Each structure stands twice: as C-alpha cells, then as structure tokens.
Amino acid sequence: MISIPRRRLLAAGLLIPLEGLAQTCGAITPRQTEGPFFTPNSPQRASLVEAGAKAPRMLVTGRVLTPQCQPVANALVDLWHADEEGAYDNRGYRYRGHQYTDAQGRYQFETIVPALYPGRARHYHVKVQPKGGRILTTQLYFPNDPGNRRDGLYRPELELKTAKSGEGAFDFVIPT
Ligand code: FE
C-alpha cells in the first residue's frame, strides 16, 4: 500500500483535520443499580489497598468526559467494592474511597481485584458526579470473567479495558 503523507491528503482536501470536527465520545455510560452496599461519605484517597491484602492489585484509571469528549474537571468519582473474601464493609470504609478528577478529567485508584460473591460477576461499583450535577451510578466489569455471561446485570459497554494485567481503564461519559 502506498503511504501518502498526511499533509498532502490535507492539502488535497481528502482528509479533514480531526480537531476541526465536533468529536463524539459515543453513548452516555449506562446507569446501573447501586446495590445494597453503598455507604455515603467515603474517605478521599487514591489507594484503597488494605495492609496485608493478598489479592492481586488493580490500578483503575480513566477520565470523566462530556458527550462531546470534553474533560470534566473536579468530578467526584466514588469507588466501592467487595474485599478479597467477597464481602463488603458495611460498618467502616474498607475498599471505599473517592477522588476528584484533575484538569484533564482523569482519575486513578489503586485497589485490589475484588473476590467473587454468589450470584454476581466480578465488579466494582462507582458513582460519578460533576460539580453540582446529577450523580451517575454504575458498575464496572472485568473482561473475560466467566461470571459475566451468567450475570443479568453485566453489560459489555461497562467492561474495564485492560491493556496489561493489573491495570483497568474506563472513561465515563456523563450527560451535561
Ligand atoms: Fe456488588
């Protein structure tokens, strides 16, 4: 295949510069039930890893975006999930925490891969809220988890993207 320099395609009007187009980030992230184990007022922290935790670590990263692909800065991202035994801490704040997105809309949590509990695929629970805006509650799933097929709540659009083991990325698209 002949490779034509991008600037020549641009000059010939065959290539429209991306920055000149209204980009679309696709669909708004589907909402899901918060389930029975949400606790408000989680601590603000970047790491949820408990001392002595033996479960595999996960770095969960991504962005909060508008439907036009603009980053949403200062959005609250609240993450909670089961521990390495598949249990939720409903008295305290183990494996619960929140962060605010930076100027580029990015968030990042260091945590563990939650253990399975009966009836569900492996998942994280998340609430995303732009400053002064409506909360989007959803759940994130693990690619290739055998439980996904058996879980009626699972949706492929809510899978973490794992480029390498121990890392999962997800961009939330919230209504404006
Ligand atoms: Fe759950």
Side-chain angles (χ1 to χ4, degrees):
M1 194 177 137
I2 303 164
S3 164
I4 303 168
R6 180 177 148 85
R7 64 179 181 279
R8 282 181 54 194
L9 288 173
L10 282 169
L14 294 171
L15 197 65
I16 302 161
L18 274 178
E19 51 275 17
L21 283 177
Q23 285 180 293
T24 156
C25 274
I28 287 167
T29 301
R31 294 171 191 274
Q32 296 220 298
T33 173
E34 71 176 25
F37 303 125
F38 174 65
T39 302
N41 305 314
S42 72
Q44 182 177 350
R45 53 182 174 177
S47 177
L48 309 189
V49 178
E50 292 286 321
K54 289 175 189 68
R57 302 291 196 267
M58 270 297 274
L59 188 66
V60 185
T61 64
R63 291 172 300 166
V64 178
L65 302 167
T66 69
Q68 291 77 37
C69 288
Q70 297 305 303
V72 181
N74 289 314
L76 173 83
V77 182
D78 195 332
L79 176 70
W80 76 102
H81 60 83
D83 65 14
E84 53 195 322
E85 244 96 75
Y88 287 85
D89 179 7
N90 294 313
R91 295 182 176 184
Y93 291 98
R94 289 175 59 244
Y95 298 111
R96 300 176 186 274
H98 71 268
Q99 285 279 292
Y100 292 93
T101 54
D102 69 11
Q104 282 80 48
R106 294 176 302 201
Y107 69 90
Q108 179 169 311
F109 288 98
E110 189 190 352
T111 190
I112 61 163
V113 175
L116 289 167
Y117 63 90
R120 293 300 318 278
R122 205 182 300 279
H123 62 280
Y124 292 123
H125 293 269
V126 194
K127 285 181 185 280
V128 180
Q129 184 180 31
K131 206 172 187 328
R134 187 181 169 200
I135 296 170
L136 187 146
T137 302
T138 193
Q139 302 185 30
L140 300 179
Y141 297 88
F142 289 72
N144 307 315
D145 184 72
N148 289 343
R149 281 176 287 119
R150 298 189 292 270
D151 187 333
L153 283 175
Y154 163 80
R155 291 185 66 163
E157 312 96 284
L158 293 172
E159 269 190 10
L160 290 156
K161 282 152 195 72
T162 51
K164 64 179 188 186
S165 144
E167 290 188 15
F170 193 86
D171 289 342
F172 297 94
V173 180
I174 60 171
T176 45

